[in-house]
Amino acid sequence: MPNERLRSALLARGMTVQGLADEIEVNPKTVERWITQGKVPYRRHQYATAAALKVDVTTLWDDGRNIESAMDSAKAEIVTVYPHRHTVPPSLWREIYERAEANIDLLVYSGLFMSEDPLFHGLLRAKVEAGAQVRILLGDPDCAAVRQRGIDEGHQIMDGKIRNALLLYRPLMRSHPDIGFRLHDSTLYNSIYRADDEMLVNPHVYGLGAYMAPVLHLRRLPGGSLFDTYAHSIEHTWDNARPATDRDTTGA
């Protein structure tokens, strides 16, 4: 049977058979057989192909060994799980960002507790001055998703919390324009705090404030896909968000 999933993954990446063959150093005819005849390659070639196409290996081949290995890798990426956000050690939020050298991301609706921390502001200034990419994604206070989140949590003030966070970030936005601030209108399923290959993921639970929901402490590992699943969410939201302006910080 032809491997249509492999064919689709090639098309999605805009990669040719020759291109994949060159990337993983095999004969193009070998890749053709994987696609047209459904031949299953050696495991090293399976993982090399998955890496080249930026998909999980289990997406391309139903190999029980791969599924078991992927599950083990996913488990290994979980450093720990906290039952509620308020049980996370207060210092951990800053510590993961202090360890970052290249990438700092916040994907939240308001993340008010972070915006209220002056030490966090100082850390962001130092990181962007050292050359790190810093991106802060807040919810658009005027969008339907934000209003609905406030209703779901039972307080209906989510837009006000975001405007407060924007006000607190305003000095940073003015003094350090290299820090990216954007507003998104997505239905946010998780608040994500990423620092290089480490992140804290705070799932949103219907009817509960985020402080009562669990937090997963994740660390990216070779062969794992759990971290990258959440990292992709950040990239997708960033690409579809609009830049925050000084006017947004005033609520005008």
Side-chain angles (χ1 to χ4, degrees):
M1 292 286 291
N3 189 333
E4 296 298 338
R5 288 178 293 178
L6 177 54
R7 192 195 308 275
S8 296
L10 276 168
L11 291 172
R13 290 295 300 170
M15 187 178 288
T16 64
V17 168
Q18 182 67 56
L20 176 60
D22 292 343
E23 177 80 14
I24 65 175
E25 299 181 348
V26 299
N27 191 298
K29 292 183 179 179
T30 300
V31 177
E32 284 283 4
R33 286 193 290 270
W34 297 346
I35 297 172
T36 60
Q37 300 177 30
K39 297 290 186 180
V40 178
Y42 293 119
R43 293 190 76 190
R44 67 177 183 276
H45 290 149
Q46 291 181 35
Y47 281 99
T49 299
L53 297 178
K54 300 189 184 302
V55 298
D56 191 90
V57 68
T58 58
T59 302
L60 304 176
W61 289 283
D62 288 326
D63 186 330
R65 296 172 302 173
N66 289 338
I67 294 174
E68 183 177 347
S69 177
M71 291 176 62
D72 288 342
S73 296
K75 292 176 184 177
E77 286 187 293
I78 301 173
V79 178
T80 191
V81 177
Y82 298 94
H84 310 289
R85 195 185 73 190
H86 65 80
T87 63
V88 177
S91 61
L92 183 59
W93 304 93
R94 281 199 304 269
E95 287 174 1
I96 70 165
Y97 286 122
E98 287 171 351
R99 289 193 283 267
E101 297 180 354
N103 298 101
I104 287 178
D105 294 313
L106 263 77
L107 171 55
V108 295
Y109 271 145
S110 73
L112 189 57
F113 72 105
M114 297 294 288
S115 67
E116 292 174 330
D117 183 355
L119 294 179
F120 179 61
H121 287 225
L123 188 154
L124 294 182
R125 285 193 291 268
K127 291 298 181 179
V128 77
E129 289 169 4
Q133 174 183 264
V134 178
R135 301 183 298 183
I136 311 294
L137 273 159
L138 304 178
D140 187 329
D142 295 320
C143 77
V146 163
R147 288 194 296 272
Q148 187 60 51
R149 180 60 188 171
I151 293 170
D152 293 345
E153 289 190 5
H155 53 63
Q156 302 186 41
I157 59 169
M158 184 60 73
D159 59 335
K161 293 171 68 175
I162 295 171
R163 294 186 199 282
N164 195 7
L166 284 165
L167 182 62
L168 292 168
Y169 280 130
R170 182 166 61 182
L172 197 58
M173 295 170 67
R174 290 176 172 177
S175 65
H176 288 73
D178 288 343
I179 298 177
F181 284 90
R182 291 190 182 182
L183 301 179
H184 66 90
D185 60 2
S186 63
T187 299
L188 195 63
Y189 301 105
N190 304 275
S191 295
I192 304 175
Y193 307 80
R194 179 192 177 183
D196 287 350
D197 290 337
E198 194 171 3
M199 69 169 58
L200 296 171
V201 179
N202 184 195
H204 291 189
V205 179
Y206 181 77
L208 291 179
Y211 73 98
M212 284 295 294
V215 170
L216 287 71
H217 184 181
L218 305 180
R219 184 174 289 117
R220 175 188 270 148
L221 294 175
S225 62
L226 188 58
F227 182 100
D228 288 337
T229 296
Y230 289 107
H232 175 74
S233 177
I234 298 172
E235 298 303 325
H236 181 75
T237 309
W238 179 262
D239 289 343
N240 291 281
R242 69 172 178 87
T245 67
D246 198 65
R247 184 175 180 179
D248 291 308
T249 69
T250 64

